[in-house]
């Protein structure tokens, strides 16, 4: 079994899509091992996305991520990282496959409804950024 971090971003939370996204996650066989809603600070968003600090979109991304509440989750499944990324769909919802979360719920490439870890090392960092070991169920 593998774990990954999933975030329902502020745009999807503001549009009341959280429940439907969580329903899809569970219907696809993921186990939610931890979940919480939070409102990131600018500093918190900058720390989480520090890997992108030199990219031109960094400031817009971190402003967006602290613009409203988000739902963060630890998902567990066989091949959780690739399966979650497949379910999310392409970053740009216009290019996303029909039936993916981004195709169904994202506004555009910047407001794209969800986030997912891209590798085991990234998942380990991202999970520990939001959750301590006592918050993650077995």
């Amino acid at each position: 079994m593998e774990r990954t971090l999933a975030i329902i971003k502020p745009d999807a939370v503001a549009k009341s899509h959280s429940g439907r996204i969580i329903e899809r996650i569970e219907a696809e066989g993921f186990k939610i091992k931890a979940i919480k809603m939070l409102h990131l600070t600018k500093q918190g968003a900058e720390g989480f996305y520090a890997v992108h600090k030199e990219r031109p979109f960094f400031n817009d991304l971190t402003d967006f991520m602290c613009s409203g509440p988000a739902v963060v989750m630890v998902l567990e499944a066989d091949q959780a990282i690739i399966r979650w990324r497949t379910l999310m769909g392409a970053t740009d919802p216009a290019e996303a496959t029909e039936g993916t979360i981004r195709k169904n719920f994202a506004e555009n490439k910047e407001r794209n409804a969800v986030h997912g870890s891209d590798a085991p090392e990234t998942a380990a960092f991202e999970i520990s950024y939001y959750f301590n070991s006592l918050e993650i169920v077995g």
Side-chain angles (χ1 to χ4, degrees):
M1 289 301 209
E2 184 175 62
R3 289 182 177 172
T4 190
L5 185 84
I7 301 176
I8 303 174
K9 294 182 178 182
D11 57 321
V13 172
K15 291 184 171 185
S16 300
H17 295 314
S18 300
R20 284 177 289 200
I21 292 171
I22 292 168
E23 186 176 16
R24 285 289 308 281
I25 288 167
E26 292 182 324
E28 293 292 331
F30 291 93
K31 300 294 182 199
I32 299 173
K33 298 306 223 169
I35 186 170
K36 61 181 155 184
M37 181 178 274
L38 48 79
H39 194 141
L40 280 172
T41 63
K42 179 71 169 177
Q43 182 179 7
E46 289 174 342
F48 183 75
Y49 287 106
V51 67
H52 299 302
K53 188 173 179 80
E54 302 304 320
R55 308 286 290 273
F57 59 82
F58 179 74
N59 195 53
D60 289 341
L61 173 62
T62 55
D63 282 347
F64 164 61
M65 288 303 294
C66 63
S67 68
V71 177
V72 294
M73 297 171 279
V74 176
L75 306 182
E76 184 178 83
D78 185 41
Q79 299 182 352
I81 294 169
I82 190 68
R83 286 180 54 206
W84 173 235
R85 293 187 68 77
T86 301
L87 181 59
M88 286 192 311
T91 302
D92 184 344
E95 299 173 6
T97 303
E98 287 297 327
T100 61
I101 290 171
R102 286 182 173 148
K103 188 68 166 184
N104 292 343
F105 300 110
E107 294 177 39
N108 56 47
K109 190 174 182 178
E110 288 76 35
R111 296 179 176 272
N112 60 11
V114 288
H115 165 89
S117 306
D118 61 4
E121 302 78 26
T122 311
F125 165 77
E126 291 181 347
I127 289 168
S128 69
Y129 195 86
Y130 291 112
F131 297 97
N132 68 52
S133 60
L134 295 175
E135 296 174 303
I136 302 171
V137 178

